[in-house]
């Protein structure tokens, strides 16, 4: 296989590569250079209808394909992703702006793991039975739902796209999937891989297009029985409103505004290293990034001094350069949003400790969209900067005196995706973990992921959980069979 990024991305529908029916296209830009380097379909409801038809036609056979055969094909997809790591990583970096080393080490390997994890998972799955003491036996069948929709964002493009598609396919569903229009390239390359791996026509249909036209048509289509969505809370709310009257199953993985709670008894070096990562990895564009850093008052000044000094040394520049710690943010629209939120933080009285400006590298990336790592202090917990998701390389520092105050600050949020707690006191770690209102708590670590664990958020961070059996349960309907003895 020789995977390379084409000038024109095509939809993958019913096993064939197709142009959008309307003939409309969108520009695809490399955010590190500012250059438009390909065109992507601007698909609409007609393309969605075609995709649903292809998926419906494929469903009877795929849903009856033995688990061993589904395993074989999905595992083959994982192998082909691994075999094409270099090409996929380069495509991801050119689309997204993230450092190439990050695409190679994290994004693409994880996409392969997602397929392998769920492919092997279905070989080990079992269902419950409930015996009524000699009178009857109940057993639960878990059957695929039918045609399901998977919609993903731009921050971890292939990683999150496959995190949905793999369990949906493994469970025996046929899929209509849409990656973000901002980062469509690796999803297109995945469609070539799936064809090569022998995935039957129509089992996975990949559509390219924008949210309002293509994404919303997927959500509204009566032939699509469940929606797995990762993206903004705004879009999640719209999807919930459309899906609810049709009683579609929905799984919504939405925004975050995650707190880091740092106590004075933490392992200082590990905390400092990890907090830099949790603040600025992927230019702060990870839903799990800790953007509200809460520090115990007795170590606040020491923390501030060292954190600012270390963050000031993060090299921002060409994502293809091994030495760049930070690449470009994903798009001009997003660049402008982050810069406007930096301006807002200043208006709200925030004291800028570091950054706050665009970066203009020389050479190839002169037209790129780069932002300095940015740190503010002096903002209260209720201000917009501390309440709204920025999703860029911007963090705020706040101090606390007691556990109660730390909890109050941590839980003053519309969001509840993740939190990180730094303390060597085991009792305190458990106490805090139990009381922080977030679906994912890390103690003395960050982004340590076991794919078997439930993944998702409280409050405006979403509905439902992904990962492990939670994902396979979401993509199946339980059916109880009661047999009187
Ligand atoms: P977005 O909501 O703008 O778009 C996400 C996807 O939804 C895209 O494919 C888009 O085309 C589509 N879309 C947009 N509006 C739609 C609609 N009305 N109906 C159907 N589809 C629609 O989000 P984004 O800017 O691509 O991603 C950033 C957001 O994603 C952040 O809020 C971030 O926190 C969140 N996110 C959450 C998680 C998580 O696991 N909780 C992971 C990554 C990103």
């Amino acid at each position: 296989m020789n995977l390379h990024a084409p000038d024109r991305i095509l939809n993958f529908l019913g096993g064939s590569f197709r142009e959008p029916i309307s003939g409309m296209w969108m520009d695809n830009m490399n955010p590190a250079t500012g250059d438009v380097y390909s065109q992507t379909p601007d698909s609409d409801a007609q393309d969605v209808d075609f995709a649903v038809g292809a998926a419906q036609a494929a469903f009877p056979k795929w849903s009856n394909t033995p688990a061993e055969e589904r395993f074989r094909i999905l595992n083959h997809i994982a192998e082909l992703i691994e075999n094409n790591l270099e090409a996929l990583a380069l495509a991801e970096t050119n689309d997204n702006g993230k450092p190439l080393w990050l695409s190679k080490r994290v994004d693409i390997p994880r996409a392969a793991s997602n397929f392998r994890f769920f492919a092997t998972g279905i070989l080990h799955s079992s269902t419950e039975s409930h015996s009524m003491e000699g009178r009857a036996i109940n057993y639960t069948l878990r059957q695929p739902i039918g045609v399901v929709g998977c919609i993903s964002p731009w921050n971890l493009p292939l990683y999150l796209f496959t995190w949905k598609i793999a369990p949906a396919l493994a469970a025996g569903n046929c899929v209509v999937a849409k990656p973000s229009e901002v980062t469509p390239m690796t999803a297109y390359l995945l469609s070539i891989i799936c064809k090569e791996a022998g995935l039957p026509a129509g089992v996975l249909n990949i559509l390219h297009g924008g949210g309002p036209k293509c994404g919303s048509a997927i959500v509204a289509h009566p032939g699509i029985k469940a929606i797995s969505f990762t993206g903004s809370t705004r879009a999640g709310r719209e999807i919930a409103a459309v899906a609810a009257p049709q009683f579609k199953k929905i799984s919504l993985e939405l925004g975050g505004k995650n707190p880091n709670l740092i106590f004075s008894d933490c392992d200082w070096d590990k905390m400092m290293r990890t907090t830099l990562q949790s603040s600025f990895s992927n230019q702060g564009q990870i839903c799990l990034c800790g953007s509200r850093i809460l520090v115990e008052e007795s170590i606040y000044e020491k923390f501030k001094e060292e954190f600012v000094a270390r963050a000031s040394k993060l090299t921002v520049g060409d994502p293809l350069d091994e030495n760049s710690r930070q690449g470009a943010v994903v798009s001009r629209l997003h660049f402008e949003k982050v810069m406007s939120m930096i301006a807002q933080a200043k208006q709200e009285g925030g004291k800028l400790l570091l950054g706050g400006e665009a970066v203009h590298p020389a050479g190839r990336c002169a037209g790129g969209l780069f932002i300095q790592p940015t740190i503010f202090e002096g903002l209260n917990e209720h201000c917009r900067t501390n309440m709204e998701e920025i999703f860029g390389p911007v963090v705020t520092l706040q101090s606390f005196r007691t556990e109660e105050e730390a909890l109050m600050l941590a839980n003053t949020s519309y969001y509840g995706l993740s939190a990180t707690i730094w303390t060597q006191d085991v009792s305190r770690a458990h106490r805090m973990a139990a009381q922080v209102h977030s679906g994912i708590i890390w103690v003395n670590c960050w982004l340590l992921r076991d794919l078997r664990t439930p993944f998702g958020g409280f409050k405006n961070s979403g509905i439902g959980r992904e990962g492990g059996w939670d994902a396979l349960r979401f993509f199946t309907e339980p059916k109880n069979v009661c047999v009187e003895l």
Side-chain angles (χ1 to χ4, degrees), residues 391-421:
F391 217 53
V394 183
V395 297
T396 64
L397 310 186
Q398 298 171 73
S399 72
F400 64 83
R401 285 195 192 147
T402 60
E403 284 183 16
E404 290 68 32
E405 196 183 353
L407 272 174
M408 180 278 290
L409 292 174
N411 289 337
T412 302
S413 176
Y414 306 124
Y415 296 102
L417 189 55
S418 73
T420 298
I421 299 164

Coordinates of all heavy atoms in Angstrom, one line a residue, residues 391-421:
F391 N -10.0 25.7 25.0 CA -9.5 24.6 24.1 C -8.3 25.1 23.3 O -8.1 24.9 22.1 CB -10.6 24.2 23.1 CG -10.6 22.7 22.8 CD1 -10.6 21.8 23.8 CD2 -10.6 22.3 21.5 CE1 -10.5 20.5 23.6 CE2 -10.5 20.9 21.2 CZ -10.5 20.0 22.3
G392 N -7.4 25.8 24.0 CA -6.1 26.3 23.4 C -5.1 26.3 24.5 O -5.3 25.8 25.6
P393 N -3.9 26.8 24.2 CA -2.8 26.7 25.1 C -2.9 27.8 26.2 O -2.0 28.7 26.3 CB -1.5 26.9 24.2 CG -2.0 27.8 23.1 CD -3.5 27.4 22.9
V394 N -4.0 27.8 26.9 CA -4.2 28.9 27.9 C -4.7 28.3 29.2 O -5.7 27.5 29.2 CB -5.4 29.9 27.4 CG1 -5.6 31.0 28.4 CG2 -5.0 30.4 26.0
V395 N -4.0 28.6 30.3 CA -4.4 28.1 31.6 C -4.5 29.2 32.6 O -3.9 30.3 32.4 CB -3.5 27.0 32.2 CG1 -3.4 25.8 31.3 CG2 -2.1 27.6 32.3
T396 N -5.3 29.0 33.7 CA -5.3 30.0 34.8 C -4.8 29.3 36.1 O -5.0 28.1 36.2 CB -6.7 30.5 35.0 OG1 -7.6 29.4 35.4 CG2 -7.3 31.1 33.8
L397 N -4.2 30.1 36.9 CA -3.8 29.7 38.3 C -4.7 30.3 39.3 O -5.0 31.5 39.2 CB -2.4 30.1 38.5 CG -1.3 29.8 37.5 CD1 0.1 30.2 38.1 CD2 -1.3 28.4 37.1
Q398 N -5.1 29.5 40.3 CA -5.9 30.0 41.4 C -5.3 29.3 42.7 O -4.8 28.1 42.6 CB -7.4 29.6 41.3 CG -8.1 30.2 40.1 CD -9.5 29.7 40.0 OE1 -10.4 30.0 40.7 NE2 -9.7 28.8 39.0
S399 N -5.4 29.9 43.8 CA -4.9 29.3 45.0 C -6.0 28.9 45.9 O -7.1 29.5 45.9 CB -3.9 30.2 45.7 OG -4.5 31.2 46.3
F400 N -5.7 27.9 46.8 CA -6.7 27.5 47.8 C -6.0 27.2 49.1 O -4.8 26.9 49.1 CB -7.5 26.3 47.3 CG -6.7 25.0 47.2 CD1 -6.4 24.2 48.2 CD2 -6.2 24.7 45.9 CE1 -5.6 23.0 48.1 CE2 -5.4 23.5 45.7 CZ -5.1 22.7 46.8
R401 N -6.8 27.3 50.2 CA -6.2 27.0 51.6 C -6.5 25.7 52.1 O -5.7 25.0 52.7 CB -6.7 28.1 52.6 CG -6.0 29.4 52.4 CD -6.2 30.3 53.5 NE -5.8 31.6 53.2 CZ -6.3 32.8 53.6 NH1 -7.3 32.7 54.4 NH2 -5.8 33.9 53.1
T402 N -7.8 25.2 51.8 CA -8.3 24.0 52.5 C -8.8 23.0 51.4 O -9.1 23.5 50.3 CB -9.4 24.3 53.4 OG1 -10.5 24.9 52.6 CG2 -9.0 25.2 54.5
E403 N -9.0 21.8 51.8 CA -9.6 20.8 50.9 C -11.0 21.3 50.4 O -11.4 21.2 49.3 CB -9.8 19.5 51.5 CG -8.5 18.7 51.7 CD -8.7 17.3 52.3 OE1 -9.8 16.8 52.3 OE2 -7.7 16.7 52.7
E404 N -11.7 21.9 51.4 CA -13.1 22.3 51.0 C -13.0 23.4 50.0 O -13.8 23.4 49.0 CB -13.8 22.9 52.3 CG -14.1 21.9 53.4 CD -12.9 21.3 54.1 OE1 -11.9 22.0 54.2 OE2 -13.0 20.1 54.4
E405 N -12.1 24.3 50.1 CA -12.0 25.4 49.1 C -11.6 24.8 47.8 O -12.0 25.2 46.7 CB -11.0 26.5 49.6 CG -11.1 27.8 48.8 CD -10.1 28.8 49.3 OE1 -9.4 28.6 50.2 OE2 -10.1 29.9 48.6
A406 N -10.6 23.9 47.8 CA -10.2 23.3 46.6 C -11.4 22.6 45.8 O -11.5 22.7 44.6 CB -9.1 22.2 46.8
L407 N -12.2 21.9 46.6 CA -13.4 21.2 46.0 C -14.4 22.2 45.5 O -14.9 22.0 44.4 CB -14.1 20.4 47.1 CG -13.6 19.0 47.3 CD1 -14.3 18.4 48.5 CD2 -13.8 18.2 46.0
M408 N -14.6 23.3 46.2 CA -15.5 24.3 45.8 C -15.0 24.9 44.4 O -15.8 25.0 43.5 CB -15.6 25.4 46.8 CG -16.5 26.6 46.5 SD -15.8 27.8 45.4 CE -14.6 28.6 46.5
L409 N -13.7 25.2 44.3 CA -13.2 25.7 43.1 C -13.3 24.7 42.0 O -13.8 25.0 40.8 CB -11.7 26.2 43.2 CG -11.5 27.3 44.2 CD1 -10.0 27.5 44.3 CD2 -12.1 28.6 43.6
A410 N -12.9 23.5 42.3 CA -13.0 22.4 41.2 C -14.4 22.2 40.7 O -14.6 22.1 39.5 CB -12.4 21.1 41.8
N411 N -15.3 22.3 41.6 CA -16.7 21.9 41.2 C -17.5 23.1 40.7 O -18.7 23.0 40.3 CB -17.4 21.2 42.4 CG -16.9 19.8 42.6 OD1 -16.3 19.2 41.7 ND2 -17.1 19.3 43.8
T412 N -16.9 24.3 40.8 CA -17.6 25.5 40.2 C -17.4 25.5 38.7 O -16.5 26.1 38.2 CB -17.1 26.8 40.9 OG1 -17.2 26.7 42.3 CG2 -17.8 28.0 40.3
S413 N -18.2 24.7 38.0 CA -18.0 24.6 36.6 C -19.2 24.0 36.0 O -19.9 23.1 36.6 CB -16.8 23.6 36.3 OG -16.7 23.4 34.9
Y414 N -19.5 24.4 34.8 CA -20.7 23.7 34.1 C -20.2 22.3 33.6 O -21.0 21.5 33.2 CB -21.0 24.5 32.8 CG -21.3 26.0 33.0 CD1 -20.6 27.0 32.3 CD2 -22.3 26.4 33.9 CE1 -20.9 28.3 32.5 CE2 -22.6 27.7 34.1 CZ -21.9 28.7 33.4 OH -22.2 30.0 33.6
Y415 N -18.9 22.1 33.6 CA -18.4 20.9 33.0 C -18.0 19.9 34.1 O -17.8 20.3 35.2 CB -17.2 21.2 32.1 CG -17.5 22.1 30.9 CD1 -17.2 23.4 30.9 CD2 -18.1 21.5 29.8 CE1 -17.5 24.2 29.8 CE2 -18.3 22.3 28.7 CZ -18.0 23.6 28.7 OH -18.3 24.4 27.6
G416 N -17.8 18.7 33.7 CA -17.3 17.6 34.6 C -16.7 16.5 33.9 O -17.1 15.3 34.1
L417 N -15.7 16.8 33.1 CA -15.1 15.7 32.3 C -14.0 15.0 33.1 O -14.1 13.8 33.5 CB -14.5 16.2 31.0 CG -14.1 15.1 30.0 CD1 -15.2 14.1 29.7 CD2 -13.6 15.8 28.7
S418 N -12.9 15.7 33.4 CA -11.8 15.0 34.1 C -11.2 16.0 35.2 O -11.5 17.2 35.2 CB -10.7 14.5 33.2 OG -10.0 15.6 32.7
A419 N -10.4 15.4 36.1 CA -9.7 16.2 37.1 C -8.4 15.4 37.5 O -8.4 14.2 37.3 CB -10.6 16.4 38.3
T420 N -7.4 16.2 37.9 CA -6.2 15.5 38.3 C -5.9 16.0 39.7 O -6.0 17.2 40.0 CB -5.0 15.9 37.4 OG1 -5.3 15.4 36.1 CG2 -3.7 15.3 37.8
I421 N -5.5 15.1 40.6 CA -5.3 15.4 42.0 C -3.8 15.0 42.3 O -3.4 13.9 42.0 CB -6.2 14.6 42.9 CG1 -7.7 15.0 42.6 CG2 -5.9 14.8 44.4 CD1 -8.7 14.0 43.2

